Amino acid sequence: MSTDSSGQSALTPLERRAASALASIFSLRMLGLFMIYPVFSVYARHLPGATPVTIGLALGIYGLTQALLQIPFGLWSDRIGRRKVITIGLLLFAAGSVLAALSHSIYGIIAGRALQGAGAVGSVILALMADLTRDDQRTKAMAIIGMSIGLSFALAVVAGPVFNSHIGVNGIFWLTAVLALLGLAVLYMAVPQPDQQRLHRDNQAVPALLAEVLKNGQLLRLDFGIFAQHAMLTATFLGLPVLLRDSSGLQVEQEWALYLPVLAASVVLMVPLIIYGERNARLKSVFIGAIVASGLAQLVFALGYHSLWLLVPVIVVFFTAFNLLESSLPSLISRLAPAGMKGTAMGVYSSSQFFGIFVGGVAGGWLQSHFGLPGVFGFSVLLALLWLAVTAGLRNPGHMSSRVVSLGALKDEAPELAASRIRAITGVLDVAVAPEDGTAILKVDSRQFDEPALDNLLGKAPAATPA
């Protein structure tokens, strides 16, 4: 077995290939979706049928179809195969991009964006990743996908204005279709074929667990958080390009010069805050601080200040808070979801995220038509206040973490007996045994967890890794 420089088990060449290829597919989709964010609200004003409401609907409608189809597509892939469903999803995404590119009215773009969202294969890509990685390496592979999504968002926000100046928004939609087809090429040329397809409770939604997840108050707080986060983001991109143009004369084609240093600064500022929260078990405090910062930034936007020298640092604050919250929320879901329910919890979380995109677009557009830009940003201020109230009851995860281990010597024991033996180990807070996957999912207190005792119980099975 290969190991890294620290002596820990490392990704095999096949796992690295799978992780990088699937991350590439994710990135190619995200690039196309996000490139129109910084340019669309100004471009769409001149289209037949364009009103603030229809512009907001065009920007957010893909979130509705994503929210509705994310979990069903994942379940469908269990029946007919991951590769087939990803193929169908990418073709739908490409078709929606072509429809939007060919449209000369806002209504055609709305239809195209809805069809883009119908290619809801994010959960299927994660399931395929789980099929192609070992239990103790899955977290590393998922982290590669997570980083690729963050980088894609940053690159898209900078690249959108650049491409807009050369090929226009229609050209960006054509480029998005090409990127989707490149994703198909990567799927068939670079993604390995798994030996078998299995259900992975730590990565996939289980229908039987949906009711229990939807009753969990801690998870619902986080679901509302990601809903609010992306509703605010979509509403912000409805109003911010217009605010920058009207207040400082900054044209859409010039926005890349603002977003590039802003996003770079936000990442630099975010990292030490995340490290502080993790090392000192103060993640909830950092989390609440980021919500407050995000709300204050929206308040400044709502007040309509016209100085670019003031707007730029406020935009830095907003994106620092956004990046911090975006990276913290999945970690909190992983830690606070009951053992064996992480995949289901993440499915509901993802649907909440996409529904937030839809609501942010529609509500932002309606408010802009009635109250102008202050209404759009005021909506985000209200969302931040509600989010703050909801988060007050969130449990601080402290030193809790999730682990996935191979059952090893316990694989032939009854699930209840295996779970009780693992639960007896010091530092283990909760256990769910998944016999169909040959794994156990643990919640542990990392300060007290007796990992050697677990290794001994499992017959020197590979060491548990954070999930």
Side-chain angles (χ1 to χ4, degrees), residues 414-459:
E416 297 79 6
L417 178 59
S420 66
R421 294 182 65 183
I422 295 172
R423 194 175 289 112
I425 294 172
T426 300
V428 175
L429 306 174
D430 191 15
V431 182
V433 172
E436 72 281 358
D437 200 22
T439 61
I441 302 118
L442 287 63
K443 295 288 178 179
V444 304
D445 184 331
S446 57
R447 297 169 301 177
Q448 303 175 8
F449 180 42
D450 189 350
E451 192 163 356
L454 178 66
D455 288 345
N456 184 59
L457 176 65
L458 300 179

Side-chain angles (χ1 to χ4, degrees), residues 72-85 124 197-198 204:
F73 266 46
L75 299 176
W76 191 26
S77 77
D78 292 335
R79 299 184 60 184
I80 71 170
R82 319 280 191 225
R83 197 179 293 257
K84 289 180 182 178
V85 174
V124 186
Q197 180 175 297
R198 297 177 295 167
Q204 291 176 255

Side-chain angles (χ1 to χ4, degrees), residues 10 21 43 123 126 322 362 416 463:
Y43 159 81
S123 62
L126 295 180
F322 174 85
V362 173
E416 297 79 6

Side-chain angles (χ1 to χ4, degrees), residues 207-356:
L209 300 177
L210 274 172
E212 191 167 348
V213 165
L214 290 172
K215 291 186 294 185
N216 188 301
Q218 294 295 310
L219 296 179
L220 288 176
R221 285 177 168 84
L222 297 173
D223 293 335
F224 180 82
I226 195 63
F227 165 86
Q229 165 96 326
H230 281 266
M232 291 168 67
L233 179 70
T234 307
T236 297
F237 275 114
L238 274 176
L240 188 58
V242 180
L243 177 64
L244 289 170
R245 187 197 64 184
D246 293 348
S247 65
S248 63
L250 188 69
Q251 299 301 309
V252 169
E253 293 78 10
Q254 301 168 315
E255 286 182 8
W256 70 269
L258 182 148
Y259 287 124
L260 181 59
V262 160
L263 289 168
S266 70
V267 171
V268 171
L269 292 171
M270 174 198 71
V271 171
L273 292 172
I274 289 286
I275 293 173
Y276 169 79
E278 294 284 358
R279 285 184 177 176
N280 298 282
R282 300 288 301 275
L283 192 56
K284 179 182 176 181
S285 298
V286 173
F287 189 80
I288 289 176
I291 298 173
V292 171
S294 187
L296 289 174
Q298 294 292 331
L299 181 60
V300 174
F301 297 152
L303 293 174
Y305 284 101
H306 289 256
S307 169
L308 193 61
W309 294 106
L310 174 62
L311 287 175
V312 168
V314 174
I315 295 170
V316 171
V317 169
F318 173 73
F319 278 110
T320 300
F322 174 85
N323 288 329
L324 191 153
L325 292 164
E326 194 78 358
S327 61
S328 298
L329 278 161
S331 174
L332 288 168
I333 285 278
S334 177
R335 296 182 191 191
L336 296 177
M341 297 187 191
K342 177 188 166 187
T344 308
M346 287 301 298
V348 175
Y349 167 89
S350 295
S351 295
S352 301
Q353 171 185 333
F354 290 117
F355 190 59

Side-chain angles (χ1 to χ4, degrees), residues 101-229:
L102 293 172
S103 297
H104 300 291
S105 75
I106 193 69
Y107 301 108
I109 292 180
I110 290 171
R113 291 280 287 172
L115 190 55
Q116 280 185 325
V121 294
S123 62
V124 186
I125 294 174
L126 295 180
L128 181 55
M129 176 73 82
D131 290 335
L132 290 165
T133 52
R134 292 164 292 157
D135 306 317
D136 62 330
Q137 296 301 304
R138 198 163 296 142
T139 299
K140 297 177 184 177
M142 295 300 173
I144 293 173
I145 285 184
M147 288 187 292
S148 75
I149 294 173
L151 289 172
S152 295
F153 172 76
L155 179 59
V157 170
V158 174
V162 175
F163 280 114
N164 180 64
S165 66
H166 290 86
I167 60 177
V169 171
N170 283 348
I172 292 176
F173 281 126
W174 281 114
L175 177 59
T176 300
V178 171
L179 292 175
L181 296 178
L182 285 176
L184 269 179
V186 172
L187 177 66
Y188 284 94
M189 297 175 64
V191 177
Q193 185 71 30
D195 294 331
Q196 59 178 321
Q197 180 175 297
R198 297 177 295 167
L199 175 66
H200 307 274
R201 292 191 195 181
D202 57 321
N203 291 101
Q204 291 176 255
V206 180
L209 300 177
L210 274 172
E212 191 167 348
V213 165
L214 290 172
K215 291 186 294 185
N216 188 301
Q218 294 295 310
L219 296 179
L220 288 176
R221 285 177 168 84
L222 297 173
D223 293 335
F224 180 82
I226 195 63
F227 165 86
Q229 165 96 326

